[in-house]
Amino acid sequence: MKSTEQVVKELKQEKAELSEKVVKLENFLSDKTKTDLVGALQVRLMQHQLECMIEYVAVLNNRIYALELTRQLHGYRASKGLTR
């Protein structure tokens, strides 16, 4: 089983990669010359894709936050000699 630190590291990497793709797609969609070439249907599908990608980034942020918070809580409890 992976450590919490490893999972957080991998989630942060995934978020960084996805965020980069979000920026690229946003840039593409803001360029009328490019969007005119692909047509309205593809643009609408790409807009939907972008919305999903942004939501996925938010989910990754929430997972990272929750894991880091849990890790801090466990560290605090251990420092105080508290157990479950």
Side-chain angles (χ1 to χ4, degrees), residues 1 7 12 22-23 26 28 30 33-34 38-39 44 46 53 55 60 65-66 70 75-76 82 84:
M1 189 166 160
V7 172
K12 286 181 177 181
V22 165
V23 169
E26 285 174 330
F28 180 88
S30 68
T33 304
K34 291 179 181 176
V38 298
R44 181 61 198 119
M46 284 187 266
M53 291 166 69
E55 182 66 25
L60 292 172
Y65 176 77
T70 300
Y76 173 78
L82 303 172
R84 290 184 186 223

Side-chain angles (χ1 to χ4, degrees), residues 48-60:
H48 181 67
Q49 178 181 345
L50 179 61
E51 292 167 6
C52 293
M53 291 166 69
I54 291 169
E55 182 66 25
Y56 186 31
V57 169
V59 170
L60 292 172

Side-chain angles (χ1 to χ4, degrees), residues 2 13 18 48 57 62 64 67 69:
K2 294 179 185 178
Q13 179 64 35
L18 183 57
H48 181 67
V57 169
N62 290 335
I64 293 164
L67 286 167
L69 189 62

